Amino acid sequence: MGIGDKLSSFSNNVQEGVKSTTMTVLHISLRMITGFFVGMTLALIGQELIGYGTFALIFATIVVMAVIIKLLSQWSFAQILIFDLIVVLVGMLLRMYILVAP
């Protein structure tokens, strides 16, 4: 095994490591963004219904965000994106109901 083979093997290992790290960071980021938006939405709904303060709003957002992140930890990118699509569609349905309701 010559120096060229060792250098080629090293560069392949670096490429695989960068690819793996990038995919992990993207997966964590997608879960956090999804959790934040779902948490903030549910916390704002709770704040309007119950009328709690800012601290409770932040607490509810963080709790729901943590639950969503834990729930989505085993899901793939495609499953998380489908979940996001369903959540957006349900949100649009609720918005339409609010606008139409007397």
Side-chain angles (χ1 to χ4, degrees):
M1 184 173 213
I3 187 121
D5 293 333
K6 288 181 182 180
L7 190 59
S8 176
S9 174
F10 175 73
S11 67
N12 286 336
N13 288 340
V14 169
Q15 285 178 343
E16 288 298 320
V18 168
K19 181 181 177 184
S20 171
T21 302
T22 303
M23 293 302 286
T24 302
V25 167
L26 285 174
H27 192 255
I28 291 171
S29 300
L30 183 62
R31 288 186 304 160
M32 287 185 71
I33 291 169
T34 300
F36 175 74
F37 281 116
V38 171
M40 183 59 85
T41 302
L42 293 177
L44 285 171
I45 290 171
Q47 186 180 32
E48 286 297 318
L49 290 176
I50 300 172
Y52 47 77
T54 305
F55 180 73
L57 175 75
I58 294 170
F59 181 74
T61 302
I62 291 173
V63 167
V64 173
M65 183 176 167
V67 168
I68 293 293
I69 289 173
K70 183 67 175 174
L71 175 74
L72 300 180
S73 65
Q74 299 297 319
W75 291 11
S76 68
F77 281 109
Q79 290 171 325
I80 294 174
L81 291 175
I82 290 171
F83 174 76
D84 288 343
L85 178 66
I86 292 170
V87 168
V88 167
L89 291 175
V90 168
M92 290 175 66
L93 187 68
L94 288 172
R95 180 178 178 266
M96 184 180 68
Y97 172 74
I98 291 170
L99 291 174
V100 172

